[in-house]
Amino acid sequence: TMPGMLTEEQLTRLDQARGTEFDEIFLESMIQHHKGAVAMVKELFSTHGAGQDEMVFKFASDVNVDQATEIARMERMLLQLRIEKRSSR
């Protein structure tokens, strides 16, 4: 399996969730998924001789930056969701 892929249990949990619980699980899942992409890029660049092709290097570099940016954005969204959830109790 590739890093970041959701398990059947995680997909089932997401499928069964509703409302704010769904949003929270969705963000957690997407963060996990995007971290998997970052891990694959790290593995590529740590492998001797890999990523030498200019197009592959540019693509992998773009994936790394884009995914890291999205992770940070989703972590902020998740934090805000949890703050709102706690304050509504």
Side-chain angles (χ1 to χ4, degrees):
T1 62
M2 293 189 302
M5 298 303 290
L6 300 180
T7 65
E8 286 298 321
E9 293 92 21
Q10 288 173 303
L11 290 170
T12 298
R13 185 172 168 234
L14 179 63
D15 184 52
Q16 294 172 350
R18 299 291 179 268
T20 307
E21 181 186 14
F22 176 88
D23 295 341
E24 190 171 2
I25 295 169
F26 178 79
L27 287 169
E28 291 168 346
S29 300
M30 289 306 295
I31 291 167
Q32 173 185 322
H33 185 69
H34 282 47
K35 284 182 177 181
V38 171
M40 286 188 279
V41 169
K42 184 177 179 179
E43 183 178 343
L44 172 70
F45 288 149
S46 69
T47 303
H48 180 71
Q52 300 297 309
D53 179 82
E54 182 180 343
M55 190 166 62
V56 171
F57 179 82
K58 181 174 177 356
F59 174 76
S61 296
D62 288 349
V63 165
N64 191 53
V65 171
D66 292 346
Q67 299 299 290
T69 301
E70 290 297 317
I71 290 167
R73 179 180 295 146
M74 289 184 290
E75 285 175 339
R76 287 190 306 271
M77 292 170 68
L78 186 57
L79 178 62
Q80 184 62 40
L81 184 67
R82 289 176 174 161
I83 290 169
E84 290 170 6
K85 188 175 170 182
R86 271 188 253 128
S87 67
S88 69
R89 289 183 190 172

